[in-house]
Amino acid sequence: MLTIALPKGRLADQTLDIMEKAGYDVSAARDKSRKLILEDKDAGLRFILSKPSDVPTYVEYGAADIGVVGKDTLLEEGRQLYEVLDLGLGKCRMCVAGPAELKDKLDEIPNKRVGTKYPNITRSYFEGVKGESVEIIKLNGSVELAPLTGLAEVIVDIVESGRTLYENGLDVLETVADISARLVVNRVSMKMKEDEIKPMITKLKETLAEE
Amino acid sequence: MGNKFYTPDGFNDQFPGICGVKRELESKLRNLFLLNGYEEIETPGVEYFDVYKEFVKEEELYKFTDSKGSLLCNRYDGTIPTVRFCAGRNYTLPVRFSYIENMYRSGKAGGGKLSGFTQGGIELLGASGAKSDAEVLAIAIKSALEIGITDLQVSIGQVKFFKGLMNQLGIDEEGQSKIKNAIANRDSVTIEKLDISKEDKETLLMLTEAGGTYDTIDQIMPRITDEGAKEALSNLKEILDIMERYGFLKYVSVDLSLIESIDYYTGMVFKGYTYEVGFPIISGGRYDDVAKSFGKDIQAVGFSLSLTLAITALMRQDKFVPSKCASVIVGGDFELATATAEALRAEGTPAILDTTGMDEETLENYAKEKGIETVMYMGGEA
């Protein structure tokens, strides 16, 4: 029996589509009830639906063997996991964004204040990559408000189409990382349930290559 | 009342029933270590910060000062204090030491991974080569089996193999740390994106595949030209040969992605896994350079087993039977009861003597609640 942690929402459905194409019976997980654990004993699969940012936690502790999680969450949480497959879903970029006039002038602002939902990614980008200290202001949503209200000069956030940014007079200033959904595996499960997990990775890989 | 009733994050009380089992497992480990000639030592549990500072991240140590202002820390692991102990004395090498102690690690806890936990382990100091590596690995496997962890998988890797391979591929230090992370995380996505030849990529991807035994080594050997990397593979092969003689080959697999975490390992490394806990219960390897920090050149290899994680695993695998203290309670006439309890104890039966003067009914109810099998109520009532 494999336990798979899926992030509630669209990404879960898209992942199930890929699994179905790869020949897995995922009908149990299509259950639209409010159940959080969906089990199919015959298929040997159990799905748990969790908040996206909690998926790596379930997998790291071994409460789930496998998980699907955005690279943004992986970078932010920095957990001890095997990251085995790029599912190519939910593609977007982690960016530094701010007023359009700051383009190419980002490095000129000293002691920047950066608003973000991702304090760890922000710190490792500014300290590790750019080699500068910044003041990080942790926000929980509508991060674009920060530069508009003067709370921060710039933000670090996920950018998909960039529409919210443009409509508010903001622009992408620098790209921190490319983001997409990854298949992650608990390090112990990879060893103890190798017979179930390795074929699954191979099948999913083949399915993705066909697309 | 503040925090009076609680233990700090990451620290647990050991309940009766569990503590008893833990002590039993500790004795089993202790006997096994002694049987293999590893004498037990006890380090104080408090070390100078200087002892650890080269090996452990500062934030992972519990630090405090003594009355002279010297910076101290709690024991973080068994290895470093054992090397300190050995390096400061003139032992004829090789020397074999064992320990069963509590370790204290600040920082992330959870999932059965605590900040305070018990480890048992051994260190073989002043011995190099695959035969010594294999001795330690074999005792690690025996330890797990001895305490009832029979669903066991041990991955063995080689730090020198990775170093040699990087040398062969001509990758600079920055690239190395990126590749090291990618391989430790089995992150094939990052490896595919690397700016190196297709053949080199294939070689790196082979490292991320979960391992077999001899086949894994034979598969990658033809691609290796670096002498250090070749030696590393032959070292693993020799270890496998010895494991086969012990009949332990079924527990072991080669995992060349095992290069992460603790940087002080210099040769073969291993981690042992079981079901129902998300973290390895066994961890070990060769660390030839650690003693250099103490001004000595002592090649060494060792392992530790987390008893705390092992007990969690046994519980979740339904293999855990809580220990019981007394099977008899004696009450009633105090003089008679005392004599009876003493007689029982003399023949080795654990017996509780009622010192509170319970009547027969109260005593029976008390015994029932406590799960004490036999109640002996002495005379008096007739």
mmCIF file of all heavy atoms in Angstrom, chain B residues 15-48:
data_model
loop_
_atom_site.group_PDB
_atom_site.id
_atom_site.type_symbol
_atom_site.label_atom_id
_atom_site.label_comp_id
_atom_site.label_asym_id
_atom_site.label_seq_id
_atom_site.Cartn_x
_atom_site.Cartn_y
_atom_site.Cartn_z
ATOM 1 N N PHE B 15 7.751 6.896 29.918
ATOM 2 C CA PHE B 15 6.717 6.361 30.798
ATOM 3 C C PHE B 15 7.094 4.974 31.295
ATOM 4 O O PHE B 15 7.808 4.242 30.611
ATOM 5 C CB PHE B 15 5.394 6.279 30.034
ATOM 6 C CG PHE B 15 4.729 7.610 29.870
ATOM 7 C CD1 PHE B 15 5.357 8.633 29.185
ATOM 8 C CD2 PHE B 15 3.478 7.839 30.409
ATOM 9 C CE1 PHE B 15 4.744 9.868 29.032
ATOM 10 C CE2 PHE B 15 2.860 9.068 30.260
ATOM 11 C CZ PHE B 15 3.492 10.088 29.574
ATOM 12 N N PRO B 16 6.567 4.625 32.503
ATOM 13 C CA PRO B 16 6.757 3.241 32.939
ATOM 14 C C PRO B 16 6.146 2.324 31.888
ATOM 15 O O PRO B 16 5.180 2.697 31.247
ATOM 16 C CB PRO B 16 5.996 3.160 34.263
ATOM 17 C CG PRO B 16 5.192 4.394 34.376
ATOM 18 C CD PRO B 16 5.751 5.397 33.435
ATOM 19 N N GLY B 17 6.688 1.163 31.708
ATOM 20 C CA GLY B 17 6.171 0.283 30.662
ATOM 21 C C GLY B 17 7.008 0.444 29.409
ATOM 22 O O GLY B 17 7.384 -0.528 28.774
ATOM 23 N N ILE B 18 7.316 1.697 29.069
ATOM 24 C CA ILE B 18 8.174 1.939 27.914
ATOM 25 C C ILE B 18 9.631 2.004 28.372
ATOM 26 O O ILE B 18 10.522 1.415 27.777
ATOM 27 C CB ILE B 18 7.783 3.247 27.198
ATOM 28 C CG1 ILE B 18 6.363 3.108 26.654
ATOM 29 C CG2 ILE B 18 8.765 3.566 26.086
ATOM 30 C CD1 ILE B 18 5.775 4.361 26.104
ATOM 31 N N CYS B 19 9.818 2.691 29.500
ATOM 32 C CA CYS B 19 11.166 2.815 30.036
ATOM 33 C C CYS B 19 11.768 1.441 30.323
ATOM 34 O O CYS B 19 12.938 1.196 30.039
ATOM 35 C CB CYS B 19 11.134 3.666 31.299
ATOM 36 S SG CYS B 19 12.743 4.259 31.778
ATOM 37 N N GLY B 20 10.924 0.555 30.857
ATOM 38 C CA GLY B 20 11.387 -0.799 31.161
ATOM 39 C C GLY B 20 11.889 -1.507 29.921
ATOM 40 O O GLY B 20 12.954 -2.141 29.923
ATOM 41 N N VAL B 21 11.113 -1.385 28.837
ATOM 42 C CA VAL B 21 11.516 -2.026 27.588
ATOM 43 C C VAL B 21 12.813 -1.391 27.077
ATOM 44 O O VAL B 21 13.711 -2.088 26.612
ATOM 45 C CB VAL B 21 10.403 -1.885 26.519
ATOM 46 C CG1 VAL B 21 10.869 -2.416 25.182
ATOM 47 C CG2 VAL B 21 9.151 -2.607 26.976
ATOM 48 N N LYS B 22 12.873 -0.070 27.199
ATOM 49 C CA LYS B 22 14.069 0.634 26.722
ATOM 50 C C LYS B 22 15.317 0.111 27.426
ATOM 51 O O LYS B 22 16.341 -0.163 26.794
ATOM 52 C CB LYS B 22 13.900 2.133 26.972
ATOM 53 C CG LYS B 22 14.938 2.964 26.274
ATOM 54 C CD LYS B 22 14.710 4.443 26.487
ATOM 55 C CE LYS B 22 15.974 5.179 26.123
ATOM 56 N NZ LYS B 22 16.032 6.496 26.732
ATOM 57 N N ARG B 23 15.211 -0.066 28.765
ATOM 58 C CA ARG B 23 16.362 -0.584 29.513
ATOM 59 C C ARG B 23 16.732 -1.988 29.050
ATOM 60 O O ARG B 23 17.908 -2.340 28.956
ATOM 61 C CB ARG B 23 16.055 -0.590 31.010
ATOM 62 C CG ARG B 23 15.926 0.787 31.617
ATOM 63 C CD ARG B 23 17.262 1.505 31.751
ATOM 64 N NE ARG B 23 17.072 2.866 32.220
ATOM 65 C CZ ARG B 23 16.958 3.926 31.427
ATOM 66 N NH1 ARG B 23 17.071 3.789 30.111
ATOM 67 N NH2 ARG B 23 16.759 5.128 31.928
ATOM 68 N N GLU B 24 15.712 -2.798 28.750
ATOM 69 C CA GLU B 24 15.984 -4.156 28.265
ATOM 70 C C GLU B 24 16.751 -4.109 26.944
ATOM 71 O O GLU B 24 17.707 -4.852 26.749
ATOM 72 C CB GLU B 24 14.649 -4.860 27.998
ATOM 73 C CG GLU B 24 14.276 -5.915 28.993
ATOM 74 C CD GLU B 24 12.841 -6.352 28.741
ATOM 75 O OE1 GLU B 24 12.540 -6.834 27.627
ATOM 76 O OE2 GLU B 24 12.010 -6.172 29.670
ATOM 77 N N LEU B 25 16.283 -3.228 26.039
ATOM 78 C CA LEU B 25 16.946 -3.112 24.737
ATOM 79 C C LEU B 25 18.373 -2.600 24.914
ATOM 80 O O LEU B 25 19.295 -3.055 24.242
ATOM 81 C CB LEU B 25 16.164 -2.181 23.806
ATOM 82 C CG LEU B 25 14.726 -2.593 23.479
ATOM 83 C CD1 LEU B 25 14.120 -1.632 22.464
ATOM 84 C CD2 LEU B 25 14.651 -4.014 22.959
ATOM 85 N N GLU B 26 18.528 -1.657 25.859
ATOM 86 C CA GLU B 26 19.879 -1.151 26.131
ATOM 87 C C GLU B 26 20.802 -2.289 26.573
ATOM 88 O O GLU B 26 21.942 -2.377 26.113
ATOM 89 C CB GLU B 26 19.842 -0.068 27.218
ATOM 90 C CG GLU B 26 19.320 1.264 26.715
ATOM 91 C CD GLU B 26 19.129 2.276 27.847
ATOM 92 O OE1 GLU B 26 19.539 2.000 28.992
ATOM 93 O OE2 GLU B 26 18.543 3.346 27.571
ATOM 94 N N SER B 27 20.279 -3.167 27.454
ATOM 95 C CA SER B 27 21.147 -4.281 27.902
ATOM 96 C C SER B 27 21.478 -5.207 26.758
ATOM 97 O O SER B 27 22.582 -5.740 26.684
ATOM 98 C CB SER B 27 20.529 -5.132 29.007
ATOM 99 O OG SER B 27 19.604 -4.448 29.709
ATOM 100 N N LYS B 28 20.499 -5.415 25.873
ATOM 101 C CA LYS B 28 20.781 -6.282 24.721
ATOM 102 C C LYS B 28 21.896 -5.688 23.877
ATOM 103 O O LYS B 28 22.806 -6.395 23.441
ATOM 104 C CB LYS B 28 19.524 -6.455 23.866
ATOM 105 C CG LYS B 28 18.532 -7.418 24.464
ATOM 106 C CD LYS B 28 17.351 -7.604 23.550
ATOM 107 C CE LYS B 28 16.403 -8.651 24.136
ATOM 108 N NZ LYS B 28 15.174 -8.766 23.363
ATOM 109 N N LEU B 29 21.821 -4.385 23.619
ATOM 110 C CA LEU B 29 22.864 -3.718 22.831
ATOM 111 C C LEU B 29 24.205 -3.804 23.539
ATOM 112 O O LEU B 29 25.225 -4.126 22.947
ATOM 113 C CB LEU B 29 22.514 -2.238 22.620
ATOM 114 C CG LEU B 29 21.538 -1.881 21.520
ATOM 115 C CD1 LEU B 29 21.461 -0.369 21.369
ATOM 116 C CD2 LEU B 29 21.938 -2.510 20.193
ATOM 117 N N ARG B 30 24.172 -3.518 24.856
ATOM 118 C CA ARG B 30 25.409 -3.515 25.643
ATOM 119 C C ARG B 30 26.083 -4.885 25.578
ATOM 120 O O ARG B 30 27.284 -4.982 25.340
ATOM 121 C CB ARG B 30 25.072 -3.146 27.092
ATOM 122 C CG ARG B 30 26.260 -2.891 27.976
ATOM 123 C CD ARG B 30 25.823 -2.237 29.277
ATOM 124 N NE ARG B 30 25.467 -0.845 29.106
ATOM 125 C CZ ARG B 30 24.281 -0.316 29.413
ATOM 126 N NH1 ARG B 30 23.318 -1.073 29.921
ATOM 127 N NH2 ARG B 30 24.049 0.960 29.227
ATOM 128 N N ASN B 31 25.281 -5.937 25.735
ATOM 129 C CA ASN B 31 25.837 -7.293 25.664
ATOM 130 C C ASN B 31 26.448 -7.575 24.303
ATOM 131 O O ASN B 31 27.519 -8.161 24.205
ATOM 132 C CB ASN B 31 24.750 -8.333 25.946
ATOM 133 C CG ASN B 31 24.363 -8.333 27.416
ATOM 134 O OD1 ASN B 31 25.148 -7.881 28.262
ATOM 135 N ND2 ASN B 31 23.173 -8.792 27.722
ATOM 136 N N LEU B 32 25.732 -7.146 23.267
ATOM 137 C CA LEU B 32 26.234 -7.379 21.909
ATOM 138 C C LEU B 32 27.564 -6.654 21.689
ATOM 139 O O LEU B 32 28.516 -7.227 21.147
ATOM 140 C CB LEU B 32 25.198 -6.886 20.888
ATOM 141 C CG LEU B 32 25.637 -6.973 19.430
ATOM 142 C CD1 LEU B 32 25.664 -8.414 18.952
ATOM 143 C CD2 LEU B 32 24.727 -6.141 18.538
ATOM 144 N N PHE B 33 27.634 -5.415 22.138
ATOM 145 C CA PHE B 33 28.870 -4.645 21.962
ATOM 146 C C PHE B 33 30.027 -5.322 22.710
ATOM 147 O O PHE B 33 31.118 -5.466 22.178
ATOM 148 C CB PHE B 33 28.697 -3.199 22.467
ATOM 149 C CG PHE B 33 27.694 -2.383 21.688
ATOM 150 C CD1 PHE B 33 27.112 -1.240 22.235
ATOM 151 C CD2 PHE B 33 27.329 -2.744 20.396
ATOM 152 C CE1 PHE B 33 26.194 -0.486 21.511
ATOM 153 C CE2 PHE B 33 26.401 -1.996 19.663
ATOM 154 C CZ PHE B 33 25.835 -0.870 20.230
ATOM 155 N N LEU B 34 29.755 -5.732 23.950
ATOM 156 C CA LEU B 34 30.807 -6.381 24.755
ATOM 157 C C LEU B 34 31.246 -7.694 24.132
ATOM 158 O O LEU B 34 32.424 -8.020 24.086
ATOM 159 C CB LEU B 34 30.318 -6.607 26.182
ATOM 160 C CG LEU B 34 30.185 -5.341 27.042
ATOM 161 C CD1 LEU B 34 29.545 -5.674 28.386
ATOM 162 C CD2 LEU B 34 31.543 -4.674 27.248
ATOM 163 N N LEU B 35 30.265 -8.428 23.620
ATOM 164 C CA LEU B 35 30.537 -9.713 22.993
ATOM 165 C C LEU B 35 31.493 -9.574 21.810
ATOM 166 O O LEU B 35 32.238 -10.481 21.470
ATOM 167 C CB LEU B 35 29.201 -10.303 22.521
ATOM 168 C CG LEU B 35 29.066 -11.799 22.349
ATOM 169 C CD1 LEU B 35 29.392 -12.525 23.644
ATOM 170 C CD2 LEU B 35 27.636 -12.139 21.921
ATOM 171 N N ASN B 36 31.443 -8.388 21.177
ATOM 172 C CA ASN B 36 32.324 -8.134 20.041
ATOM 173 C C ASN B 36 33.599 -7.391 20.445
ATOM 174 O O ASN B 36 34.358 -6.943 19.589
ATOM 175 C CB ASN B 36 31.580 -7.337 18.971
ATOM 176 C CG ASN B 36 30.600 -8.206 18.206
ATOM 177 O OD1 ASN B 36 30.968 -8.861 17.243
ATOM 178 N ND2 ASN B 36 29.368 -8.263 18.672
ATOM 179 N N GLY B 37 33.777 -7.229 21.754
ATOM 180 C CA GLY B 37 35.013 -6.627 22.239
ATOM 181 C C GLY B 37 35.021 -5.115 22.272
ATOM 182 O O GLY B 37 36.081 -4.491 22.279
ATOM 183 N N TYR B 38 33.846 -4.499 22.274
ATOM 184 C CA TYR B 38 33.772 -3.038 22.346
ATOM 185 C C TYR B 38 33.453 -2.611 23.773
ATOM 186 O O TYR B 38 32.331 -2.756 24.243
ATOM 187 C CB TYR B 38 32.705 -2.501 21.373
ATOM 188 C CG TYR B 38 33.153 -2.579 19.943
ATOM 189 C CD1 TYR B 38 33.126 -3.798 19.258
ATOM 190 C CD2 TYR B 38 33.646 -1.463 19.284
ATOM 191 C CE1 TYR B 38 33.569 -3.895 17.943
ATOM 192 C CE2 TYR B 38 34.095 -1.551 17.969
ATOM 193 C CZ TYR B 38 34.055 -2.761 17.308
ATOM 194 O OH TYR B 38 34.498 -2.848 16.021
ATOM 195 N N GLU B 39 34.475 -2.110 24.479
ATOM 196 C CA GLU B 39 34.301 -1.725 25.881
ATOM 197 C C GLU B 39 33.505 -0.448 26.003
ATOM 198 O O GLU B 39 33.709 0.498 25.241
ATOM 199 C CB GLU B 39 35.676 -1.516 26.516
ATOM 200 C CG GLU B 39 36.282 -2.793 27.033
ATOM 201 C CD GLU B 39 37.548 -2.490 27.816
ATOM 202 O OE1 GLU B 39 38.563 -2.206 27.162
ATOM 203 O OE2 GLU B 39 37.492 -2.532 29.060
ATOM 204 N N GLU B 40 32.625 -0.419 26.984
ATOM 205 C CA GLU B 40 31.784 0.759 27.132
ATOM 206 C C GLU B 40 32.537 1.887 27.827
ATOM 207 O O GLU B 40 33.266 1.661 28.793
ATOM 208 C CB GLU B 40 30.524 0.411 27.937
ATOM 209 C CG GLU B 40 29.543 1.555 27.985
ATOM 210 C CD GLU B 40 28.179 1.156 28.525
ATOM 211 O OE1 GLU B 40 28.052 0.037 29.052
ATOM 212 O OE2 GLU B 40 27.253 1.970 28.419
ATOM 213 N N ILE B 41 32.334 3.104 27.319
ATOM 214 C CA ILE B 41 32.838 4.275 28.036
ATOM 215 C C ILE B 41 31.670 5.228 28.264
ATOM 216 O O ILE B 41 30.645 5.135 27.593
ATOM 217 C CB ILE B 41 33.966 5.023 27.282
ATOM 218 C CG1 ILE B 41 33.480 5.513 25.909
ATOM 219 C CG2 ILE B 41 35.198 4.161 27.148
ATOM 220 C CD1 ILE B 41 34.415 6.527 25.284
ATOM 221 N N GLU B 42 31.845 6.113 29.232
ATOM 222 C CA GLU B 42 30.829 7.128 29.483
ATOM 223 C C GLU B 42 31.486 8.497 29.409
ATOM 224 O O GLU B 42 32.454 8.751 30.128
ATOM 225 C CB GLU B 42 30.220 6.894 30.868
ATOM 226 C CG GLU B 42 29.021 7.771 31.147
ATOM 227 C CD GLU B 42 28.450 7.540 32.547
ATOM 228 O OE1 GLU B 42 28.073 6.397 32.855
ATOM 229 O OE2 GLU B 42 28.413 8.510 33.317
ATOM 230 N N THR B 43 30.991 9.332 28.537
ATOM 231 C CA THR B 43 31.490 10.706 28.486
ATOM 232 C C THR B 43 30.509 11.570 29.278
ATOM 233 O O THR B 43 29.361 11.170 29.472
ATOM 234 C CB THR B 43 31.640 11.196 27.030
ATOM 235 O OG1 THR B 43 30.392 11.050 26.369
ATOM 236 C CG2 THR B 43 32.704 10.399 26.301
ATOM 237 N N PRO B 44 30.959 12.756 29.726
ATOM 238 C CA PRO B 44 30.152 13.458 30.728
ATOM 239 C C PRO B 44 28.828 14.038 30.240
ATOM 240 O O PRO B 44 27.979 14.378 31.050
ATOM 241 C CB PRO B 44 31.074 14.588 31.196
ATOM 242 C CG PRO B 44 32.044 14.785 30.099
ATOM 243 C CD PRO B 44 32.248 13.439 29.497
ATOM 244 N N GLY B 45 28.643 14.166 28.945
ATOM 245 C CA GLY B 45 27.385 14.760 28.477
ATOM 246 C C GLY B 45 27.481 16.255 28.316
ATOM 247 O O GLY B 45 26.610 16.877 27.717
ATOM 248 N N VAL B 46 28.550 16.827 28.854
ATOM 249 C CA VAL B 46 28.822 18.250 28.662
ATOM 250 C C VAL B 46 30.241 18.356 28.119
ATOM 251 O O VAL B 46 31.161 17.750 28.656
ATOM 252 C CB VAL B 46 28.699 19.027 29.989
ATOM 253 C CG1 VAL B 46 29.126 20.473 29.807
ATOM 254 C CG2 VAL B 46 27.264 18.956 30.510
ATOM 255 N N GLU B 47 30.381 19.068 27.006
ATOM 256 C CA GLU B 47 31.690 19.190 26.372
ATOM 257 C C GLU B 47 32.010 20.668 26.181
ATOM 258 O O GLU B 47 31.109 21.502 26.146
ATOM 259 C CB GLU B 47 31.664 18.519 24.984
ATOM 260 C CG GLU B 47 31.356 17.025 24.995
ATOM 261 C CD GLU B 47 32.550 16.161 25.382
ATOM 262 O OE1 GLU B 47 33.689 16.683 25.350
ATOM 263 O OE2 GLU B 47 32.347 14.987 25.726
ATOM 264 N N TYR B 48 33.290 20.970 25.997
ATOM 265 C CA TYR B 48 33.633 22.319 25.550
ATOM 266 C C TYR B 48 33.112 22.494 24.137
ATOM 267 O O TYR B 48 33.171 21.569 23.320
ATOM 268 C CB TYR B 48 35.159 22.539 25.570
ATOM 269 C CG TYR B 48 35.700 22.819 26.940
ATOM 270 C CD1 TYR B 48 36.584 21.934 27.547
ATOM 271 C CD2 TYR B 48 35.317 23.971 27.626
ATOM 272 C CE1 TYR B 48 37.088 22.179 28.815
ATOM 273 C CE2 TYR B 48 35.823 24.232 28.899
ATOM 274 C CZ TYR B 48 36.694 23.328 29.493
ATOM 275 O OH TYR B 48 37.179 23.583 30.737
#
